[in-house]
Amino acid sequence: MAQPSATREDLLTRVRFYRDLGLTEFYRRPVDPELLALLAARPVEAPSVPFLPTNLLEDQLGPPLQAVHGSSEIAVAVEPTDRAAALQLIRDEIGECTRCALHAGRNKLVFGDGSPNARLMFVGEGPGADEDAQGLPFVGKAGQLLNNMIAAMGLKREEVYIANVVKCRPPGNRVPEQEEGATCSPFLFRQIDVIRPQVLVALGATAATWLLGARQPLAGLRGRVHAFRGMQLIVTYHPAYLLRDPRQKKEAWADLQIAMKELGLKPPAKS
Ligand code: SF4
């Protein structure tokens, strides 16, 4: 039998390490031939987390691993110049999606917005009424507050990327059901894999739950850096919650300062 390549051996070691930790669930997705062709055309040099289609692992690791959360998924490494095209392929694959019940009340699907090369990415729960009307994430009052938070970090909105766990508005802005999140979140993970921001900020408990793969109280997740598939993940309050309880803005700012430290950012000087 042929010896595994160094990259494959590294990958197998990593997967065994995850299994030793008890992480046996892997998000599975169909391999997109167009995306693979795109990647093959521009081979990535020494990616921090190598991409291999999951089926390449099965002969070495035994039976297929089952779906779900992103924390143990093998990530895609994409050349910066290809990221916009790779995101478009994901958008094309979503199409006029009817994969879950949320499509029934949707006006506009909200894919995501911002720079494909962002070093910082925000992840929220799902579109609200304004987002559903415009097809863009965080454009209502909560979006205005998020814009202010981004500006306070010394960044412009167009320099970051913003997406949600589900891409269609849950009725009455309710929390997405388990099945809805499980159906839609793989698209979010693929967006994250393409953008590969240095820092991810989970806005609220729903985003934190789906990204980290475990439901925990927000208080236990805030105030520190979580390792997330070779990236850094910080959890903070959802802007909509901050609008309801502005006293927590100070805590949210402390979380954002952790993100800024990781990114090497300093707040803009006050004029
Ligand atoms: Fe499809 Fe996601 Fe919309 Fe459900 S929420 S219909 S999975 S795009």
Side-chain angles (χ1 to χ4, degrees), residues 70-71 119-124 188-189 192 197-214 216 221-236 255 258-259 262:
S71 55
R119 294 173 62 217
L120 174 63
M121 178 168 174
F122 292 91
V123 176
L188 169 67
F189 294 135
I192 294 170
Q198 184 181 338
V199 174
L200 274 156
V201 175
L203 298 168
T206 300
T209 296
W210 282 99
L211 291 174
L212 290 170
Q216 295 177 49
L221 299 172
R222 288 189 42 254
R224 60 194 166 98
V225 178
H226 303 263
F228 178 81
R229 298 151 62 116
M231 295 163 260
Q232 293 149 320
L233 171 67
I234 290 146
V235 176
T236 193
D255 296 329
I258 298 171
E262 297 299 323

Side-chain angles (χ1 to χ4, degrees), residues 7-187:
T7 302
R8 177 176 291 198
E9 194 55 45
D10 288 348
L11 189 53
L12 291 170
T13 301
R14 184 183 294 251
V15 174
R16 288 186 189 113
F17 171 71
Y18 286 139
R19 285 190 162 183
D20 289 346
L21 290 175
L23 298 171
T24 57
E25 292 186 321
F26 285 67
Y27 157 59
R28 298 289 308 274
R29 61 171 180 261
V31 178
D32 185 327
E34 280 190 79
L35 182 56
L36 280 181
L38 195 60
L39 293 168
R42 293 176 180 267
V44 179
E45 288 180 14
S48 55
V49 185
F51 166 76
L52 277 179
T54 315
N55 60 3
L56 291 182
L57 296 170
E58 288 173 8
D59 55 344
Q60 305 271 350
L61 291 170
L65 304 170
Q66 296 304 307
V68 191
H69 297 287
S71 55
S72 57
E73 188 193 352
I74 300 154
V76 176
V78 181
E79 285 284 312
T81 50
D82 292 333
R83 286 180 182 140
L87 286 174
Q88 187 58 49
L89 284 174
I90 299 169
R91 179 64 189 90
D92 292 347
E93 186 180 330
I94 294 173
E96 289 303 308
C97 186
T98 57
R99 293 172 178 86
C100 87
L102 293 181
H103 81 277
R106 168 185 79 214
N107 284 307
K108 287 191 177 167
L109 188 148
V110 180
F111 177 67
D113 185 38
S115 169
N117 301 314
R119 294 173 62 217
L120 174 63
M121 178 168 174
F122 292 91
V123 176
E125 179 175 297
D130 294 310
E131 291 76 17
D132 177 63
Q134 296 187 40
L136 291 168
F138 284 92
V139 289
K141 282 185 182 164
Q144 186 56 53
L145 179 54
L146 180 60
N147 291 348
N148 293 343
M149 291 159 69
I150 293 167
M153 299 174 79
L155 294 169
K156 298 187 179 102
R157 177 168 165 132
E158 54 268 28
E159 292 177 299
V160 307
Y161 196 88
I162 306 171
N164 287 307
V165 172
V166 293
K167 306 202 178 302
C168 303
R169 184 191 182 200
N173 294 343
R174 64 160 170 76
V175 174
E177 303 279 359
Q178 169 76 20
E179 189 180 337
E180 295 158 356
T183 305
C184 201
S185 62
F187 294 117

